Amino acid sequence: MANDHDLEKYSRQIILNEIGPEGQEKIKRVSILVIGAGGLGSSVIQYLSAAGVGKIGIVDDDKVELSNLNRQLIYGENDLGKSKVDAAKNYILKSNPSIEIETYEIHIDEKNLPDIINDYDLIADCSDNIETRLSINDSCIKYKKTWVMAAVGGFFGQIASFQPIKNNTSNSTYRDLMKHKIFDETGCDNIGTIGSVVGAVGGIQATEIIKLIIGNKENLVNKILIFDFITFQSKTLKINSI
């Protein structure tokens, strides 16, 4: 690590055999684009910034509303009416000012996403609709970017990772997942949830991202994890290419 400050700050991560000094350096050097700064995005931003990720990009075109505050814990009532990307940036700067931050107050689509993702190593999909995920999927395939998606509906959550083709091996895509129809991805505007469920799923998503950064092989590439927070049962299913 570069200095004693970082050694102490990230000491509980560095002592993990799975991370160590080399893994922490990988975390420090990586750049991650978080698409969606709502419930999932808020949790992912919290954990990635606390872990010491070197650069975080934040994409969202919404303003902070009162109904957001039960599950989007990086915002407070003093942020009401502010753009989410600006409020999220302020949160990161207060908690970890050494992180480089880029903000994009836009709605993502297949036209503008390619201009953004080339500046990032990995994409965190925290959006709330299928159309955006399909745009992310197609752009990440074209530009060979790894991405991790998560979704929440009621007391259910899902997380999956997608990587471009490597070593002539064809990995599954989000379109393959859609054909399986494993999970009802109704938009969050049409279904309720509670902050603890969204936070837990976002925490799992952030953990999966960190595992991919450090090269841990026990990841969710070609798989989907589904968690029921009512029964506390989970299942991991394989996603087959179709």
Side-chain angles (χ1 to χ4, degrees):
M1 298 295 294
N3 53 57
D4 292 341
H5 176 272
D6 285 352
L7 279 171
E8 181 176 354
K9 185 171 186 177
Y10 304 114
S11 60
R12 293 302 180 268
Q13 295 175 187
I14 295 170
I15 62 175
L16 291 171
N17 291 331
E18 293 84 355
I19 296 182
E22 287 188 9
Q24 190 61 45
E25 281 296 327
K26 290 179 180 179
I27 294 170
K28 183 178 180 179
R29 292 195 301 266
V30 79
S31 57
I32 298 175
L33 181 67
V34 180
I35 299 178
L40 288 170
S42 296
S43 182
V44 169
I45 287 168
Q46 279 182 305
Y47 285 114
L48 293 184
S49 60
V53 164
K55 178 181 177 180
I56 296 177
I58 309 166
V59 181
D60 203 301
D61 63 344
D62 284 343
K63 308 291 185 183
V64 179
E65 300 177 0
L66 186 60
S67 62
N68 300 148
L69 303 187
N70 79 311
R71 65 197 183 281
Q72 302 177 21
L73 302 185
I74 63 175
Y75 310 127
E77 292 205 7
N78 60 321
D79 293 314
L80 294 176
K82 297 179 182 178
S83 71
K84 286 186 176 180
V85 294
D86 288 343
K89 180 178 180 179
N90 289 335
Y91 170 85
I92 297 173
L93 289 175
K94 290 178 182 178
S95 62
N96 200 338
S98 64
I99 295 177
E100 181 182 352
I101 309 165
E102 295 288 345
T103 60
Y104 309 87
E105 194 174 355
I106 58 173
H107 175 74
I108 279 295
D109 57 35
E110 68 280 358
K111 295 180 180 178
N112 56 31
L113 184 56
D115 294 331
I116 300 174
I117 64 173
N118 273 333
D119 292 332
Y120 295 89
D121 301 311
L122 191 146
I123 315 301
D125 166 47
C126 305
S127 63
D128 60 2
N129 65 87
I130 293 172
E131 180 183 350
T132 298
R133 293 192 190 106
L134 289 172
S135 296
I136 295 169
N137 176 79
D138 296 346
S139 294
C140 286
I141 290 172
K142 183 175 181 179
Y143 295 97
K144 295 182 170 57
K145 297 290 183 179
T146 298
W147 67 291
V148 180
M149 65 145 291
V152 174
F155 285 88
F156 289 86
Q158 68 167 355
I159 305 97
S161 296
F162 303 95
Q163 283 187 329
I165 294 174
K166 291 186 177 180
N167 301 322
N168 296 318
T169 299
S170 179
N171 288 326
S172 62
T173 72
Y174 180 70
R175 290 187 179 274
D176 295 323
L177 175 62
M178 288 289 295
K179 291 174 183 176
H180 287 293
K181 295 183 179 178
I182 294 172
F183 190 84
D184 181 10
E185 295 186 89
T186 306
C188 68
D189 288 339
N190 302 315
I191 190 167
T193 190
I194 60 174
S196 57
V197 170
V198 178
V201 175
I204 296 171
Q205 185 181 14
T207 302
E208 173 71 359
I209 290 168
I210 290 172
K211 286 164 57 182
L212 291 170
I213 293 169
I214 64 176
N216 191 291
K217 302 301 181 183
E218 295 295 327
N219 55 53
L220 291 172
V221 175
N222 296 322
K223 304 171 192 172
I224 181 169
L225 169 65
I226 301 175
F227 201 99
D228 179 347
F229 286 87
I230 291 289
T231 64
F232 287 117
Q233 293 182 333
S234 66
K235 53 186 175 181
T236 302
L237 305 176
K238 185 175 181 179
I239 305 172
N240 294 315
S241 299
I242 296 177

